[in-house]
Amino acid sequence: MKDWAKATAHPFVIAGPCSAEGEEQVMNTVKEIVHHANGKVQMIRAGIWKPRTRPNSFEGVGEIGLPWVKNAARAVGLPVSVEVANPEHVEAALKNEIDVLWIGARTTVSPFAIQEIADSLKGVDIPVLIKNPINPDLELWIGAVERFYQSGLKKLGVIHRGFSSYEKTIYRNPPMWEIPIELRRRYPEIPIIVDPSHMGGTRDLIYMLSQQAMDMGFDGLMIESHQNPDKAWSDAKQQITPERLGEILNTLIIREPKVSFDNHSLQDLRSRIDRIDDYIIELLCERMGISENIGELKKKNQLAIHQSERWAQIVKRALEKGKTGGLTEEFILKLFQQVHNESIKHQTSVMEK
Ligand code: PEP
Ligand code: MN
């Protein structure tokens, strides 16, 4: 799918309502989207079966909505995608000639569900887009991708829609960009589409998150758009009008995903970064060597490896020093926790000798 997503456009934009609510709502929304998007939308989306957190909320119109979304997309000459969560959904979607399937975040968490869907797609040549699991677990996300690959599906993509967090943040699902960045490092061939709607949870964040996705060189966007967002039957707060969608797509700054190699000043700066990274690693190796010496002393004197007062002192010093150079507390703390962990591992192996 990298090829078809890339060949079509950069960014590859999927837009449409959170849910199909009625034949007219789908048709009007899709027509308005295409009218305002100025050729910048490549695919239509609509939810048919809705996985809701609590029962007794609108759970989607079901199979009856499949012809609505297919006909609306056909009317504007675009392919269409729906979410599937079990083999019955797959069968109904294929029967109605849906072009692309996506797997919702609540489904990706379950290897049983993913395996059933992947089995039901054996021998079918259809693109599948896999949303990240709701919990920040890259292996679970990759596991779902592997299950589809193993079923013989070749046109795979992923959708990054943010991760659930217990802490209250400005986001509905904080982006945790380091996770899709690591996925890209490990599977560079898989296209990554960012869903700023479920990430932000409110209209105001859609533009900023879409721009961030482009700044990080991801391949596309999935944005919820509804003809009358405030009256939407699901996810009303995060849906935007087709007009606003058009404005956003027309003002996004699209960056080149790859650097051309005749850019000398960039190459210069990059080689300086490489040199600094080498120093950092050499210094860390030296630091671990000293830690091991300390480990030997602690062993001889029957001292515990972890000395909490010393650790508090190290953190305090690092935070103060980092602050004067403009480094955030969060970064320094995470960095030193990692360094400290490694140090403890080295000392433990000395103790165990
Ligand atoms: C959706 O795309 O409407 C949806 C339910 O999203 P998610 O699976 O990301 O929560
Ligand atoms: Mn939604």
Side-chain angles (χ1 to χ4, degrees):
M1 145 141 180
K2 184 110 187 168
D3 291 333
W4 72 259
K6 287 273 174 200
T8 327
H10 177 70
F12 189 88
V13 179
I14 307 170
C18 177
S19 302
E21 298 164 7
E23 192 167 10
E24 255 182 65
Q25 169 253 2
V26 176
M27 185 63 88
N28 291 343
T29 301
V30 168
K31 284 192 170 161
E32 275 189 50
I33 286 175
V34 169
H35 172 72
H36 289 285
N38 206 7
K40 292 184 170 152
V41 166
Q42 278 70 45
M43 195 189 289
I44 297 302
R45 64 149 281 150
I48 295 291
W49 301 278
K50 302 303 297 180
R52 303 308 296 271
T53 304
R54 307 276 300 269
N56 310 322
S57 22
F58 170 62
E59 293 192 314
V61 292
E63 206 171 327
I64 190 181
L66 288 168
W68 307 341
V69 298
K70 185 191 69 183
N71 293 337
R74 295 289 183 271
V76 296
L78 288 178
V80 63
S81 56
V82 303
E83 173 178 346
V84 292
N86 61 42
E88 291 77 55
H89 296 168
V90 169
E91 195 189 331
L94 295 179
K95 203 170 74 200
N96 283 277
E97 295 165 11
I98 298 301
D99 306 288
V100 170
L101 306 177
W102 93 77
I103 307 297
R106 290 160 192 79
T107 306
T108 307
V109 293
S110 164
F112 285 138
I114 292 294
Q115 193 58 56
E116 276 184 14
I117 299 169
D119 287 343
S120 74
L121 281 167
K122 274 201 179 123
V124 183
D125 179 27
I126 190 168
V128 179
L129 304 174
I130 303 151
K131 284 196 166 194
N132 61 261
I134 40 184
N135 52 324
D137 184 341
L138 179 59
E139 297 309 318
L140 197 53
W141 197 1
I142 287 175
V145 172
E146 287 169 343
R147 285 177 201 277
F148 284 102
Y149 271 141
Q150 282 179 14
S151 267
L153 286 125
K154 294 202 171 67
K155 296 172 185 159
L156 299 186
V158 298
I159 302 175
H160 170 43
R161 47 76 85 197
F163 300 89
S164 173
S165 81
Y166 184 67
E167 280 161 48
K168 283 266 163 287
T169 70
I170 60 163
Y171 307 105
R172 177 178 175 192
N173 293 293
M176 306 186 194
W177 295 108
E178 66 277 14
I179 296 178
I181 287 173
E182 175 62 7
L183 191 144
R184 162 117 314 163
R185 189 183 71 82
R186 284 164 61 178
Y187 291 83
E189 73 286 0
I190 298 180
I192 300 181
I193 290 171
V194 173
D195 171 347
S197 305
H198 293 87
M199 214 177 251
T202 97
R203 262 161 237 163
D204 314 339
L205 293 171
I206 310 289
Y207 176 75
M208 185 262 281
L209 287 168
S210 302
Q211 185 62 57
Q212 281 185 9
M214 295 299 98
D215 294 348
M216 270 174 284
F218 292 131
D219 303 292
L221 297 166
M222 179 189 250
I223 302 180
E224 286 187 340
S225 176
H226 188 286
Q227 57 172 4
N228 189 354
D230 285 329
K231 294 275 149 60
W233 297 358
S234 58
D235 287 349
K237 282 209 296 269
Q238 71 195 34
Q239 301 208 61
I240 54 176
T241 60
E243 191 181 353
R244 178 69 189 134
L245 174 71
E247 279 168 18
I248 290 178
L249 296 178
N250 285 317
T251 39
L252 279 181
I253 301 165
I254 309 304
R255 322 250 185 222
E256 280 301 315
K258 284 222 163 67
V259 181
S260 60
F261 277 95
D262 47 7
N263 194 329
H264 290 297
S265 35
L266 183 64
Q267 261 183 343
D268 248 29
L269 293 170
R270 281 185 167 171
S271 45
R272 280 169 64 189
I273 293 262
D274 286 347
R275 221 165 44 238
I276 293 178
D277 287 349
D278 287 347
Y279 286 149
I280 293 177
I281 292 174
E282 283 162 23
L283 289 173
L284 284 171
C285 294
E286 194 183 330
R287 192 188 192 283
M288 292 310 152
I290 298 175
S291 269
E292 287 175 13
N293 294 340
I294 293 181
E296 275 151 21
L297 277 181
K298 284 179 180 165
K299 187 178 179 180
K300 223 190 273 160
N301 296 293
Q302 306 266 30
L303 293 171
I305 292 180
H306 178 62
Q307 299 282 329
S308 54
E309 270 171 39
R310 171 65 180 152
W311 170 234
Q313 189 192 23
I314 289 176
V315 171
K316 186 163 172 278
R317 264 172 53 90
L319 288 178
E320 277 164 13
K321 193 158 174 57
K323 200 170 168 189
T324 59
L327 299 176
T328 63
E329 268 192 24
E330 188 198 0
F331 168 70
I332 293 284
L333 193 58
K334 272 195 189 152
L335 176 69
F336 273 78
Q337 278 166 341
Q338 292 300 328
V339 171
H340 189 231
N341 268 346
E342 183 71 12
S343 211
I344 288 179
K345 275 187 204 151
H346 282 255
Q347 294 196 2
T348 309
S349 68
V350 169
M351 292 267 184
E352 283 168 357
K353 246 183 229 154

